[in-house]
Amino acid sequence: ISTGLLYLVTHSLLQFNHKYNTYDFNKKCYILKNIIKSCSLAYLCLFKLSPILYDAYIGHWNNHILYNFASIYVSNDIMGLLILPKLPTSTKFHHLTTSIMLFYSYTIDFTQENVGQLLFILVLFSSFSFIVNFYLGVRYLRNGNKIFSDWLNLIRLSAYYIYIVCCIVNWAIQTYILGHRFINSGLDWTYYIYISLLIPVITDDLVLIRWLREPPLPKIKHI
């Protein structure tokens, strides 16, 4: 419900932007989805991460807090599946994957050593890169103003470098933990399912990194 209200509020605010009003329903939803997702991820980073990271540092994982964190993270992806009529196939698969991971996470006891802790690390570094979704949304509000265009290009470059760092660190930690657990105790079936779901997510990350590196093109399939 709260995500739906965010769509209505953001849509009302963007009514003052002439460029936004020229787009069809699908493109408006695309813009709204990415701006709202960036705000949701920024909220998680600013107000939810500190207590979670402290708990993880002292070896205490609070299931209720982590379930809530994951729900906020994925809620916008679920909304995108419901309201965007022309969602690209690759993006649908990406959002379905995160949704499946969310519902599976509700069955996990994070206090135990399991795949849930890897899921949290994945969500953690995805949240750090909230500027990427912000750029994906606001780039369509470009109005020919040079100052605004220069500002967008700065956002794009910032998103590119932040995303690279987040992806590399995330992949390194995931690889280390998976390798360590494989050597010491082996991996059960949940880990292999997680790895199979992780592969298309990483592929999507690489596509987005390549796209951010160059000046923006008229269209992009990633949402």
Side-chain angles (χ1 to χ4, degrees), residues 4-169:
L5 290 175
L6 283 174
Y7 271 79
L8 291 175
V9 171
T10 309
H11 171 71
S12 298
L13 292 174
L14 289 179
Q15 290 295 308
F16 295 99
N17 183 278
H18 172 72
K19 191 72 173 179
Y20 176 79
N21 291 320
T22 64
Y23 294 124
D24 60 18
F25 175 78
N26 190 72
K27 183 58 66 65
K28 286 180 178 178
C29 287
Y30 174 94
I31 295 169
L32 293 172
K33 177 185 177 302
N34 280 289
I35 292 176
I36 291 170
K37 184 170 184 177
S38 70
C39 293
S40 297
L41 298 184
Y43 167 78
L44 290 176
C45 290
L46 293 173
F47 300 105
K48 295 293 185 178
L49 275 183
S50 295
I52 293 175
L53 291 177
Y54 177 76
D55 285 347
Y57 175 74
I58 63 175
H60 174 70
W61 295 74
N62 187 305
N63 284 321
H64 177 73
I65 292 176
L66 290 171
Y67 296 155
N68 180 256
F69 185 92
S71 298
I72 294 173
Y73 177 83
V74 180
S75 61
N76 198 49
D77 289 351
I78 295 175
M79 182 65 72
L81 287 171
L82 294 175
I83 69 170
L84 266 77
K86 298 179 181 178
L87 203 62
T89 302
S90 61
T91 304
K92 284 182 181 178
F93 184 79
H94 181 274
H95 290 351
L96 283 171
T97 300
T98 58
S99 300
I100 291 170
M101 287 181 172
L102 170 66
F103 292 118
Y104 174 67
S105 72
Y106 293 151
T107 69
I108 294 175
D109 181 2
F110 285 91
T111 63
Q112 305 297 316
E113 185 180 278
N114 53 46
V115 73
Q117 294 169 358
L118 287 171
L119 278 170
F120 170 69
I121 293 169
L122 178 65
V123 171
L124 173 68
F125 283 97
S126 296
S127 299
F128 287 152
S129 58
F130 59 85
I131 192 174
V132 174
N133 287 97
F134 181 73
Y135 173 73
L136 290 176
V138 299
R139 67 196 171 96
Y140 279 111
L141 304 180
R142 190 190 306 269
N143 56 14
N145 183 283
K146 185 179 185 303
I147 295 177
F148 186 65
S149 295
D150 291 342
W151 177 75
L152 278 180
N153 194 51
L154 179 62
I155 295 295
R156 177 183 65 83
L157 290 173
S158 300
Y160 171 66
Y161 290 112
I162 290 172
Y163 203 54
I164 285 179
V165 172
C166 288
C167 286
I168 291 176
V169 176

